[in-house]
Amino acid sequence: MTSIAPKTAASRTADSELDAIFAPIFDRIAVGAVAREVDRQLPYDEVGWLKEAKFGALRVPVEHGGYGVTVRQLFRLLIDLAAAESNLPQALRVHFVFVEDQLLAEQGSARDGWLRAVSTGTLVGNAITEPGVGAVDRYRTTLTPVGDAWVLNGVKSYSTGSLYADHILVAADRDGERLGVLVDANAEGVRQHDDWDGFGQRLTASGTTEFTDVAVADDRILGPGYGGAGPTYATSYLQLFQLAVLAGIAQRAERDVREWVSARTRTFTHASADLPREDPLVQQVIGRLSAASFAARASVLAVADVLDGVLDSGATDEKSLVAAELAAGQAQLGVIDTVLTATSQIFELGGASIVSERLRFDRHWRNARTISVHNPAIFKARSIGDHLLNGTDLPFAWSAGERKTPQEATR
């Protein structure tokens, strides 16, 4: 693969300009966050505002109509977006991997065409994970020949963001070969369901997608896709989206609770001060929440710096890819513990009134707990320890599903 040349300061959009464009949009998105949570109202309008502002084209070069930002700039904005609406960065994460793949692809009309499409607002969702066996063995979603064409059949779960997308990146099997296939979200034979039933991150559109005899053209078969052998930038990059969401949740939780405490006059007979905001115990909790937000943000941006180097050099150096994967895994373990603790501590600041459904402060912990189960931390911690102690390869593009027992595998 041939990467684009590293971006110079002159060819990327400055942070101040990005903030001028996107901060007002994030503020507008944040206004309705609690109401959407209560009503389970998918943020279609809010995604539309981001599309109009070309948020999905942040990494697209300026000459192709995008902003040409660095990975660090991207994740700085993703944290702020997550603080406004934690569902949206998660819903967009495969879109940005698709963009990175185009940036790393050979120069040509197909690559340029997709980059320009993204710069006009095109978004890409995903349909990778499957129920049951999943891809632990091989994908049950199949791409098969019918005459001179191809058809796609299968069922996917956790199709995060696809209800907001123009195209869906589907992981499929073609006679034992793993492939990424791009289909139009409104193509005949595609059915999407908002049936994600998690107690957090409810508006990510992470439901079921069915593909029934969906026609696929040759130019929509993209190659190995997710699950290919060997080190890749994609797993650390995808993981960093989850961590950006956690950092944004911590940022919003600290802000929400600080504003609530600042206006509060009700306290307890045995409190240390007449007003909660003057109570040293309350101040201590706010200080810890602020530290958690700072630490989570700093961890995300530190990994983003590593990924900037990896992607600017073409994402082919194995040593650099391993370093990025290790950094993302180490950050994951630290950020999860930090943010889950912080979003639990907020309830120490008040009595029964702080658990009011009107406030919905519980959404911060629920969303953080939900995003943290992706790529479970217990397995990540063990793999990091094994790598550091024994030099064992880190797992990159692993899959979830039902594994065969040794007895079944030999039958």
Side-chain angles (χ1 to χ4, degrees):
M1 294 186 293
T2 302
S3 69
I4 59 173
K7 303 174 188 66
T8 64
S11 63
R12 69 172 70 106
T13 307
D15 287 344
S16 58
E17 186 177 347
L18 293 169
D19 289 340
I21 295 169
F22 292 109
I25 298 173
F26 296 165
D27 289 343
R28 189 180 176 194
I29 289 172
V31 169
V34 173
R36 288 191 297 272
E37 162 87 13
V38 172
D39 298 334
R40 195 187 174 95
Q41 179 182 342
L42 295 179
Y44 288 112
D45 289 343
E46 291 72 15
V47 171
W49 302 339
L50 293 173
K51 290 178 70 170
E52 289 173 11
K54 303 196 298 186
F55 188 81
L58 281 167
R59 286 281 289 160
V60 173
V62 172
E63 59 267 29
H64 287 86
Y67 293 100
V69 306
T70 64
V71 177
R72 181 187 179 90
Q73 288 178 297
L74 169 64
F75 279 92
R76 187 179 70 83
L77 289 171
L78 286 168
I79 293 169
D80 290 344
L81 174 59
E85 173 58 86
S86 68
N87 295 277
L88 289 178
Q90 185 184 358
L92 295 172
R93 68 183 192 134
V94 170
H95 167 83
F96 281 101
V97 170
F98 175 79
V99 172
E100 294 296 345
D101 284 346
Q102 303 313 305
L103 294 175
L104 292 167
E106 295 288 345
Q107 301 280 348
S109 58
R111 169 189 180 273
D112 291 349
W114 282 115
L115 290 175
R116 294 195 182 282
V118 168
S119 73
T120 63
T122 292
L123 292 178
V124 176
N126 92 95
I128 294 173
T129 303
E130 294 182 350
V133 172
V136 169
D137 179 19
R138 59 192 277 183
Y139 289 117
R140 268 41 182 179
T141 300
T142 59
L143 187 68
T144 55
V146 174
D148 295 330
W150 301 93
V151 294
L152 183 72
N153 285 280
V155 177
K156 296 289 187 177
S157 54
Y158 309 136
S159 306
T160 305
S162 289
L163 281 169
Y164 307 128
D166 303 287
H167 308 289
I168 305 173
L169 185 60
V170 187
D173 178 274
R174 181 174 66 182
D175 196 23
E177 177 188 11
R178 289 189 179 198
L179 292 171
V181 178
L182 199 65
V183 302
D184 296 340
N186 62 356
E188 185 176 354
V190 177
R191 294 184 62 203
Q192 299 187 71
H193 309 275
D194 179 30
D195 55 3
W196 160 239
D197 65 352
F199 61 59
Q201 294 296 100
R202 293 170 172 170
L203 308 181
T204 56
S206 296
T208 302
T209 306
E210 302 174 70
F211 302 94
T212 305
D213 293 333
V214 179
V216 177
D218 285 336
D219 64 355
R220 293 297 186 90
I221 302 173
L222 304 182
Y226 183 84
T232 173
Y233 83 91
T235 44
S236 57
Y237 191 91
L238 287 166
Q239 183 67 67
L240 200 56
F241 272 79
Q242 315 292 25
L243 304 187
V245 170
L246 285 167
I249 289 170
Q251 184 172 307
R252 174 57 61 180
E254 187 271 338
R255 185 181 308 169
D256 284 353
V257 176
R258 176 161 44 87
E259 291 175 355
W260 184 77
V261 169
S262 296
R264 185 171 169 80
T265 58
R266 187 176 174 86
T267 188
F268 299 93
T269 55
H270 55 299
S272 303
D274 293 334
L275 291 173
R277 68 175 181 272
E278 297 173 351
D279 192 311
L281 298 178
V282 173
Q283 293 167 355
Q284 182 182 104
V285 173
I286 295 297
R288 290 187 179 279
L289 288 172
S290 174
S293 174
F294 177 87
R297 186 183 188 92
S299 293
V300 170
L301 296 181
V303 180
D305 286 339
V306 176
L307 278 167
D308 259 321
V310 168
L311 290 164
D312 279 349
S313 62
T316 57
D317 179 69
E318 183 169 333
K319 185 177 179 180
S320 297
L321 293 170
V322 170
E325 189 70 16
L326 179 60
Q330 291 169 326
Q332 177 187 356
L333 298 177
V335 170
I336 286 175
D337 286 348
T338 297
V339 176
L340 286 180
T341 299
T343 52
S344 296
Q345 285 180 337
I346 62 178
F347 299 103
E348 301 296 331
L349 294 173
S353 56
I354 202 169
V355 298
S356 168
E357 286 278 8
R358 178 182 57 83
L359 296 173
R360 287 274 168 156
F361 286 163
D362 63 301
R363 82 187 191 277
H364 298 311
W365 181 87
R366 287 188 290 100
N367 289 336
R369 180 65 275 178
T370 300
I371 203 73
S372 297
V373 302
H374 290 74
N375 311 334
I378 57 170
F379 298 115
K380 190 65 67 70
R382 188 212 61 79
S383 66
I384 289 173
D386 195 15
H387 172 74
L388 295 175
L389 288 169
N390 305 310
T392 305
D393 290 343
L394 292 170
F396 281 82
W398 48 269
S399 298
E402 297 173 4
R403 287 171 53 173
K404 292 180 179 180
T405 65
Q407 295 78 8
E408 291 172 328
T410 58
R411 288 174 188 170

